[in-house]
Amino acid sequence: MSFAMTAAERDAFLRDVHVGIIAIADEGRAPLAVPIWYSYEPGGEVQVITERDSRKGKLLARARRFSLCVQTETAPYRYVSVEGPVTSTEPVDVERHLRPMARRYLGEKGGDRYVESTGGQATRTDTVVIRMRPERWLTVDYRKRG
């Protein structure tokens, strides 16, 4: 019996709200693996937001690819791991990128408070939205155990 998710199941899982773990190659060290908010539209690209000059931002600029692992925290466990190349990096737009991401994770009021608490910080060019085109998938859904 296969525990793999179908493409539709995997897309639906990624659309749900989970904190992902981004992993980025770091020459001479283990990959950087840290929690991150993400967004995904089925059949589209994975998007993350970070500071261009952060360790994440610098490694992404160098590696030009990353993986993202998203999981449930309770049994029966499910996870999706996706890997692919960075397709674009651009300055974040508060209304197109940051506010929708903050609302995704914190709800409308909490997301708006989060955006306002940044005091315009995300409008500078040092905060970027990075897109990745999924190439490789690994999925498990232990609910299929029966």
Side-chain angles (χ1 to χ4, degrees):
M1 160 177 259
S2 172
F3 297 124
M5 293 181 193
T6 66
E9 290 169 336
R10 153 192 100 196
D11 286 349
F13 182 82
L14 280 184
R15 275 196 51 89
D16 287 344
V17 178
H18 304 281
V19 173
I21 302 296
I22 191 171
I24 313 157
D26 190 357
E27 190 175 321
R29 299 173 71 169
L32 174 67
V34 294
I36 195 163
W37 290 354
Y38 72 93
S39 64
Y40 174 76
E41 290 297 325
E45 296 178 311
V46 174
Q47 293 185 49
V48 297
I49 296 173
T50 193
E51 300 294 317
R52 187 184 305 273
D53 291 331
S54 68
R55 184 170 173 215
K56 263 187 306 215
K58 289 176 182 177
L59 289 174
L60 285 164
R62 189 175 328 141
R64 302 298 301 160
R65 68 184 305 110
F66 66 91
S67 63
L68 181 77
C69 185
V70 179
Q71 68 179 22
T72 57
E73 297 291 326
T74 57
Y77 300 105
R78 297 179 292 154
Y79 69 83
V80 170
S81 180
V82 58
E83 172 198 348
V86 170
T87 59
S88 69
T89 301
E90 66 181 85
V92 74
D93 178 275
V94 171
E95 298 307 321
R96 280 191 6 213
H97 307 121
L98 184 61
R99 190 175 307 275
M101 183 83 73
R103 285 178 172 178
R104 169 177 162 79
Y105 282 91
L106 303 173
E108 186 173 345
K109 288 180 182 178
D112 289 346
R113 278 194 304 271
Y114 175 83
V115 169
E116 300 315 314
S117 75
T118 65
Q121 160 185 348
T123 59
R124 299 188 317 242
T125 59
D126 60 346
T127 304
V128 292
V129 60
I130 298 171
R131 291 180 184 82
M132 178 260 281
R133 183 182 68 250
E135 284 183 342
R136 293 184 187 89
W137 299 88
L138 180 62
T139 65
V140 169
D141 182 349
Y142 287 114
R143 296 177 309 172
K144 294 182 177 188
R145 194 178 314 198

